[in-house]
């Protein structure tokens, strides 16, 4: 049994568990009260804030504890936008942000704001020039993740922060995936993070607002957390979260090397072991523990089930029921294959033997799913110059499977027209062409759905 | 050492601690994931929802877990108001609601809504007729607490719910103080509660939205908790919260009788032991564990310090640093004395001996504070027909102490004019008159502050 979905949540770190248990006795009371129990709670809260600030690299009075990373993002984005309302109502985000940032952007648009979504390259990284081009006189805020949650690609945060700083625009960094590995470099203005990503308990997020950043908390307020996060403080969980952050940081340098070697092994071996696979995300500038690949002719959810049966817990950017946006907005923005997508994210301490066993199990699991779906047999020669594949009403990866099945029947120079009404086909058919070295001609509206044209070039 | 501030927060119930510890191993993963760890988390979450629904008396799919009681109120009020925006933008609250409700109302007003605050009687209770009178054609929502957090007075929720139901207006009940004692009676539409009030951990609130109630979640959304509470679910804490609710409910009937007897004892004995005390709140229709009294010529914060030194943790509605609203908006709305206010709220299991020791310690603590503040000596006869007391720049209880000091010097029929610029004087001088059986003539604007006129009638 191996849990390879650390990017989603990690089990509680033993240090966090110990800290939680101890502070349940000392930290349950209201830290605003003046009596003994309140003072004890206040001391724990203050000490946690100091320690969190040290780990982030900021002042203690810049740290706000929230009830989740999502909440830190929601409150951070809304507060920063409102604080600079006079400047304007324009927001910049990358197109591969976490859904909490994108949902904040959507809420802002619904409220009359304007949002620019900065594109990424095929590895999932933004270009600082993209941010520079997006900045306007009325830009109130820019957001960028420190590293991508689906493919692990690290973003050029320091460079983007510099571009924003030069324009006088604050940058909010979603550091959910990276804070356990180290502080975020660069001159950012706001930062959000989530404790259960670094072995802390659920129920704790971190919002950092640098001094001098205009910030106007939105919604009903109270006096807790400098008026920036209403509701009774969850002190035992905060203590545990910070203890865990310190613990994982102490092991980070060593563990990063080890996990990087393991994910490197997966990156290199999967394409050797499994035919028709695309490993996605930056090979070098990336988080140590994440590796993501997509398998042609595979239904992501079915593959997750196969792997779960074999004792491996992984996630998929193409599995509807486990993701907000289907198909994965990240893979879509990168322009890579989304079908049969698997994200492996190794928690610290992952045993090498578990990774080896995963590599043993994976080829059979993929082959099993492909067989059930009727994936294509090897290519044959000859046949008509143009073929029509009617995949209306069929969900991906069926349209791509059907395309591949008939593709060998058209001669070089011939075309296949695929009719599909599944949105994912728009992403997956061009991706299949790129992987296969075939020409994607383009799409045309059809009576029902869309027609995708592919020309055989080899 | 005795902790008598259960209305603020309670230590973790042993059952909650056990449940928390156990579910840290089983409930840390993302319940939206399809793998083993995710399914286990989902099972725990579903079971908790069923159990919470049973304790509340509603359907499981009507229960939303939030990250605090405050958050449940904020989201509940905002969602219900938005859901009925077409009907109108009028909100009804009682004047003694918890600050989370009042802050929601203020945010609604800032956004262009209209709020009616229903008055309470001297015991702190609303009259259903007051809600009936406040209802308008454009009323979107009414809010009423099940019982008051500062004085323990129970509200006529079932009657108010009926009045609202007849007008087609949903009623949101803030059940934070009472849910541990039993379900809320009546045909309410929404309910909010907070786990750390019933021995659950911090970080868990409960929002119930009855089927058929129009509700539009505000702010950025995600797919968690039926789109009504974004952010990763805190399952171990939820499991512990619900386990604790069941545990305290099992002991509730018996413990209510015992605590009621103890608070009855405090209600009866404090006025015998301490001169110039007013016990506030309904003597009969009230929570079992709360008793509140105000002491003339006493600074609430100083008294809390004295009691803390003597080993008792209590809170005060008149202590600035431990409360959002100063002086207590509850005592103000009731028209009772706010100075030297002490709220004793006994946690389940409070030992009789601790209450007896509190009654032993209290008279000396009050006397000590009064002595330091120079409280008045017994009344003398004769003197001029009108006296002026200049208390400008002095904080309550000093204005009342100075009034009382000179009062004996004016003959019956004479008046004392107190100049004060402390807002609390507006409440405390009339309250002093009522307690003393003297006539409060009224207030007049003065060059600085306000002049309060008191006529001696006995």
């Amino acid at each position: 049994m191996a849990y390879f979905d650390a990017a989603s949540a990690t089990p509680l770190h033993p240090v966090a568990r110990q800290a939680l248990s101890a502070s349940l006795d000392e930290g349950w009371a209201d830290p605003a009260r003046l009596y003994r129990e309140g003072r004890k709670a206040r001391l724990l809260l203050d000490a946690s804030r100091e320690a969190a600030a040290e780990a982030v690299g900021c002042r203690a009075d810049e740290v706000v504890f929230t009830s989740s990373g999502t909440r830190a993002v929601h409150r951070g984005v809304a507060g920063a936008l409102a604080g600079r309302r006079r400047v304007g109502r324009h927001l910049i985000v990358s197109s591969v942000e976490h859904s909490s940032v994108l949902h904040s952007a959507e809420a802002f648009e619904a409220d009359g704001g304007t949002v620019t979504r900065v594109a990424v390259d095929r590895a999932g990284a933004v270009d600082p020039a993209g941010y520079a081009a997006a900045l306007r006189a009325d830009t109130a805020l820019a957001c960028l993740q420190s590293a991508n949650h689906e493919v692990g690609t690290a973003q050029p945060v320091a460079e983007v922060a510099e571009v924003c700083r030069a324009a006088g625009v604050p940058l909010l960094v979603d550091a959910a995936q990276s804070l356990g590995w180290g502080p975020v470099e660069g001159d950012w203005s706001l930062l959000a993070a989530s404790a259960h990503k670094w072995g802390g308990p659920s129920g704790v997020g971190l919002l950092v607002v640098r001094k001098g950043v205009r910030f106007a908390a939105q919604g009903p307020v109270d006096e807790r957390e400098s008026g920036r996060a209403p509701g009774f403080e969850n002190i035992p969980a905060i203590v545990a979260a910070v203890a865990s952050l310190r613990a994982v940081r102490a092991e980070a340098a060593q563990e990063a090397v080890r996990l990087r070697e393991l994910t490197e092994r997966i990156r290199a071996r999967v394409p050797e072991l499994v035919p028709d696979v695309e490993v996605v995300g930056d090979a070098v500038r990336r988080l140590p523990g994440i590796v993501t690949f997509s398998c042609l002719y595979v239904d992501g959810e079915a593959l997750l089930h196969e792997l779960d049966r074999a004792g491996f817990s992984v996630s998929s950017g193409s599995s509807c029921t486990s993701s907000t946006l289907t198909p994965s907005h990240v893979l879509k923005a990168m322009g890579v294959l989304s079908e049969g997508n698997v994200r492996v994210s190794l928690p610290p301490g992952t045993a090498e033997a578990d990774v080896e066993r995963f590599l043993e199990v994976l080829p059979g699991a993929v082959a099993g799913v492909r067989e059930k779906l009727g994936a294509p047999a090897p290519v044959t020669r000859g046949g008509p110059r143009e073929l029509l594949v009617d995949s209306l009403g069929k969900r991906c990866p069926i349209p791509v499977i059907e395309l591949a099945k008939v593709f060998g029947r058209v001669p070089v120079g011939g075309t296949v027209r695929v009719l599909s009404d599944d949105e994912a086909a728009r992403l997956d058919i061009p991706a299949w062409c790129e992987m296969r070295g075939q020409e994607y001609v383009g799409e045309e509206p059809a009576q029902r759905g869309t027609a995708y044209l592919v020309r055989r070039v080899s």
Side-chain angles (χ1 to χ4, degrees), chain A:
Chain A
M1 301 297 209
Y3 178 78
F4 286 174
D5 197 21
S8 172
T10 49
L12 202 60
H13 194 286
V15 165
R17 178 185 272 268
Q18 210 170 7
L20 181 64
S21 187
S23 56
L24 286 172
D25 291 330
E26 301 277 309
W28 54 270
D30 185 344
R33 299 292 176 184
L34 303 173
Y35 45 67
R36 194 173 57 256
E37 294 86 352
R39 294 193 304 268
K40 277 189 195 170
R42 166 64 56 191
L43 285 175
L44 286 176
L45 182 58
D46 289 347
S48 299
R49 199 182 308 280
E50 290 285 347
E54 200 187 316
V56 169
C58 68
R59 295 165 42 154
D61 59 358
E62 295 172 336
V63 172
V64 175
F65 292 111
T66 66
S67 58
S68 69
T70 293
R71 190 131 173 77
V73 166
H74 288 179
R75 288 198 75 79
V77 172
L81 285 171
R84 284 174 46 89
R85 205 189 156 111
R86 282 190 188 180
V87 172
R89 304 203 69 203
H90 177 238
L91 167 68
I92 303 172
V93 300
S94 88
S95 53
V96 295
E97 295 298 313
H98 184 261
S99 57
S100 59
V101 174
L102 297 181
H103 290 148
S104 291
E106 286 158 19
F108 181 58
E109 276 177 322
D111 189 38
T114 311
V115 179
T116 299
R117 290 165 180 84
V118 175
V120 294
D121 61 20
R122 213 176 146 79
V126 301
D127 184 342
Y131 273 74
L135 284 163
R136 308 191 325 203
D138 65 341
T139 303
L141 177 70
C143 299
L144 178 62
Q145 63 197 187
S146 54
N148 187 267
H149 52 295
E150 281 194 35
V151 299
T153 299
Q155 301 291 358
V157 171
E159 294 88 329
V160 171
E162 212 175 298
V163 163
C164 291
R165 181 68 61 176
V169 171
L171 178 71
L172 182 149
V173 178
D174 169 13
Q177 290 298 335
S178 77
L179 200 65
W181 295 110
V184 176
E185 302 293 326
D187 196 9
W188 46 265
S189 296
L190 301 102
L191 181 145
S194 173
H196 74 106
K197 308 282 191 194
W198 67 63
S202 307
V204 182
L206 210 62
L207 171 64
V208 179
V209 183
R210 291 277 200 201
K211 286 286 144 197
V213 174
R214 282 181 193 280
F215 193 90
Q218 295 301 288
V221 292
D222 65 23
E223 79 281 20
R224 302 189 186 271
E225 293 298 300
S226 10
R228 287 173 175 174
F232 195 84
E233 295 93 340
N234 189 351
I235 295 176
I238 288 170
V239 170
V242 175
S244 182
L245 182 55
R246 289 162 66 103
V248 298
R249 280 289 188 81
E251 307 149 358
Q254 199 179 334
E255 195 62 16
V257 172
R258 216 177 61 80
L259 291 192
R260 189 171 287 275
E261 195 282 317
L262 293 176
T263 48
E264 197 50 68
R265 199 179 301 187
I266 297 171
R267 289 188 75 89
R269 297 263 304 278
V270 164
E272 296 167 9
L273 296 167
V274 180
D276 299 325
V277 156
E278 183 177 11
V279 178
V280 299
D282 199 293
V284 180
R285 284 180 57 99
R286 62 180 180 90
L287 291 171
I290 298 185
V291 51
T292 302
F293 52 86
S294 297
C295 311
L296 263 180
Y297 321 132
V298 165
D299 170 42
E301 202 171 310
L303 182 53
L304 295 200
H305 279 301
E306 284 298 323
L307 290 170
D308 178 46
R309 260 198 290 273
F312 292 95
S313 300
V314 297
S315 90
S316 168
S318 59
S319 161
C320 347
T321 46
S322 67
S323 171
T324 321
L325 305 163
T326 308
S328 156
H329 68 283
V330 172
L331 302 176
K332 196 169 172 180
M334 291 165 65
V336 298
L337 187 73
S338 79
E339 73 181 35
N341 180 259
V342 172
R343 175 185 70 188
V344 174
S345 55
L346 307 178
T350 296
E352 183 181 355
D354 284 339
V355 171
E356 282 300 329
R357 203 163 56 78
F358 176 75
L359 290 170
E360 276 167 35
V361 161
L362 182 69
V366 172
V369 173
R370 282 177 175 163
E371 200 181 315
K372 274 184 210 148
L373 290 170
V379 168
T380 58
R381 300 281 149 187
R385 301 270 322 154
E386 184 167 327
L387 275 178
L388 179 74
V389 172
D390 180 355
S391 291
L392 290 168
K394 294 173 187 163
R395 297 216 23 224
C396 275
I398 300 299
V400 179
I401 289 177
E402 293 185 337
L403 162 65
K405 270 186 173 172
V406 304
F407 200 72
R409 285 199 247 142
V410 299
V412 171
T415 54
V416 178
R417 176 181 296 261
V418 184
L419 280 176
S420 171
D421 47 11
D422 181 350
E423 193 53 31
R426 177 160 289 124
L427 185 58
D428 290 341
I429 291 174
W432 181 89
C433 294
E434 175 126 1
M435 286 176 74
R436 279 283 173 265
Q438 305 298 346
E439 183 191 350
Y440 177 64
V441 181
E443 63 170 76
E444 290 169 2
Q447 207 166 2
R448 269 184 64 206
T450 304
Y452 301 91
L453 266 69
V454 179
R455 179 171 295 119
R456 183 168 174 189
V457 294
S458 60

